[in-house]
Amino acid sequence: DKLLIIANGAYGERMADIAAHAGICHVVYNEVYYKVPDAQKIAEILDNDPSITHVSMVHSETTSGILNDIEAVAKAVKARNRTMIVDAMSSFGGVDIPIGEWGIDFIISSANKCIQGVPGFSFIIADREKLIASKGKARSLSLDLYDQWETMNKDGKWRFTSPTHVVLAFSQALKEMEEEGGIPARSRRYTENNRLLIEKMAELGIHPYIEAEHQGPIITTFCYPENHTFSFTEMYTYIKDRGYAIYPGKVTEADTFRIGNIGEIYRDDILKLMEIITEFLRESSHE
């Protein structure tokens, strides 16, 4: 088997690192961080290399905040009878993903992120036939997906020590998602958080790293304002001391920082954060 990895950020690149460590034969299609990978280019790569059997990509690439077009890519992959694997760690539960309709064979996500549980286990929704066909192919004992599935079918248990507290938190998080109105309501809240954040940051002269067309609702990467005199550490500490936390940038060629829009975050939180950032910028400009 041979894997085509589509990468337009640090997490797509990490897939390549994982494949290299696991000894998986792979090739990488790299796209610049601010662009969505081109489904037509991917189709051409597959047409030119019939030895490629699997294709993997990140849906919500949180390096930049971009939401990749997995629908177009999956359809190109399925039209060529290859297996499609999607990393939806930061999008599942936060945006609608019609897995079967789009032809995704394996989609991977986590107990935390948009489900709003706590970190501790991943889950995979898989095409049953392809899952069964993977028997005996795992390069890792602990990550043997087929073996775990088979064991759960026998007695409903993890093979090794189960993450009991994480499972209870996950169950509660699913109830809370249902009470909120499911994925449509959660997606709407995240999107509104994102739009309000971008609008208010623009008033301060701070703009997103990527174009609005491809901006996902999960996390937003912002470029530093021109002629800034502060460091990320100074801004991070100032904001954290007032009850909120932001992320450093992961884009290598630009000075950026990131603000997440997911979790128990509401309009009032965005407005409060903006007050804090406004105060910070005012104080740092006077120093």
Side-chain angles (χ1 to χ4, degrees):
D1 289 349
K2 185 176 181 180
L3 174 66
L4 169 63
I5 297 168
I6 301 160
N8 64 330
Y11 299 97
E13 290 167 3
R14 186 181 292 172
M15 278 188 186
D17 198 17
I18 292 168
H21 276 79
I24 295 169
C25 179
H26 67 283
V27 290
V28 184
Y29 158 39
N30 282 111
E31 189 53 88
V32 293
Y33 283 13
Y34 55 83
K35 283 189 177 179
V36 168
D38 186 341
Q40 186 55 44
K41 278 188 188 175
I42 293 158
E44 289 169 9
I45 293 168
L46 295 176
D47 289 340
N48 292 330
D49 189 349
S51 67
I52 293 171
T53 54
H54 295 66
V55 178
S56 67
M57 76 182 296
V58 175
H59 187 202
S60 173
E61 179 50 88
T62 53
T63 303
S64 64
I66 209 164
L67 194 66
N68 285 326
D69 187 359
I70 55 171
E71 179 183 6
V73 172
K75 287 182 176 176
V77 170
K78 295 315 293 178
R80 288 155 182 81
N81 202 29
R82 292 353 195 263
T83 296
M84 182 72 192
I85 303 166
V86 173
D87 171 338
M89 295 299 285
S90 299
S91 61
F92 189 91
V95 294
D96 190 38
I97 308 171
I99 297 168
E101 184 184 320
W102 289 357
I104 297 167
D105 297 297
F106 295 86
I107 191 164
I108 303 141
S109 196
S110 178
N112 55 324
K113 303 291 185 179
C114 297
I115 300 292
Q116 298 184 184
V118 296
F121 71 84
S122 293
F123 56 87
I124 297 169
I125 298 171
D127 178 288
R128 190 185 302 266
E129 287 184 12
K130 296 208 171 186
L131 173 60
I132 292 168
S134 74
K135 182 178 181 179
K137 295 181 181 177
R139 289 168 170 82
S140 160
L141 173 63
S142 63
L143 297 178
D144 188 331
L145 184 61
Y146 176 84
D147 195 31
Q148 180 57 76
W149 175 71
E150 188 178 50
T151 303
M152 280 194 159
N153 278 343
K154 285 178 185 171
D155 57 17
K157 303 289 185 185
W158 265 261
R159 293 168 298 159
F160 312 126
T161 305
S162 57
T164 310
H165 302 75
V166 184
V167 176
L168 287 170
F170 188 69
S171 177
Q172 176 63 25
L174 289 175
K175 288 176 188 172
E176 290 176 10
M177 174 182 268
E178 190 175 353
E179 287 167 5
E180 184 174 356
I183 293 172
R186 185 154 292 179
S187 180
R188 187 162 55 249
R189 174 164 62 86
Y190 290 170
T191 300
E192 287 168 1
N193 285 345
N194 174 255
R195 286 176 182 165
L196 179 62
L197 176 66
I198 290 172
E199 176 191 319
K200 293 297 183 183
M201 290 291 263
E203 292 173 7
L204 299 176
I206 301 174
H207 302 283
Y209 170 72
I210 58 173
E211 295 176 4
E213 180 187 358
H214 302 306
Q215 174 66 55
I218 309 303
I219 193 168
T220 315
T221 294
F222 289 99
C223 297
Y224 280 73
E226 287 186 18
N227 305 316
H228 67 276
T229 56
F230 59 87
S231 69
F232 174 79
T233 303
E234 289 169 332
M235 179 168 61
Y236 175 84
T237 303
Y238 187 95
I239 293 169
K240 189 175 182 186
D241 286 348
R242 288 153 182 80
Y244 292 89
I246 63 173
Y247 295 83
K250 286 187 83 75
V251 177
T252 51
E253 85 279 5
D255 285 333
T256 61
F257 60 93
R258 298 176 296 158
I259 299 179
N261 309 299
I262 67 172
E264 285 293 307
I265 296 171
Y266 299 89
R267 179 182 176 85
D268 287 349
D269 295 301
I270 301 295
L271 294 175
K272 180 61 179 173
L273 175 66
M274 294 316 304
E275 287 176 16
I276 295 167
I277 293 175
T278 301
E279 278 299 312
F280 170 75
L281 293 174
R282 187 179 295 125
E283 289 181 22
S284 64
S285 67
H286 290 156
E287 289 175 0

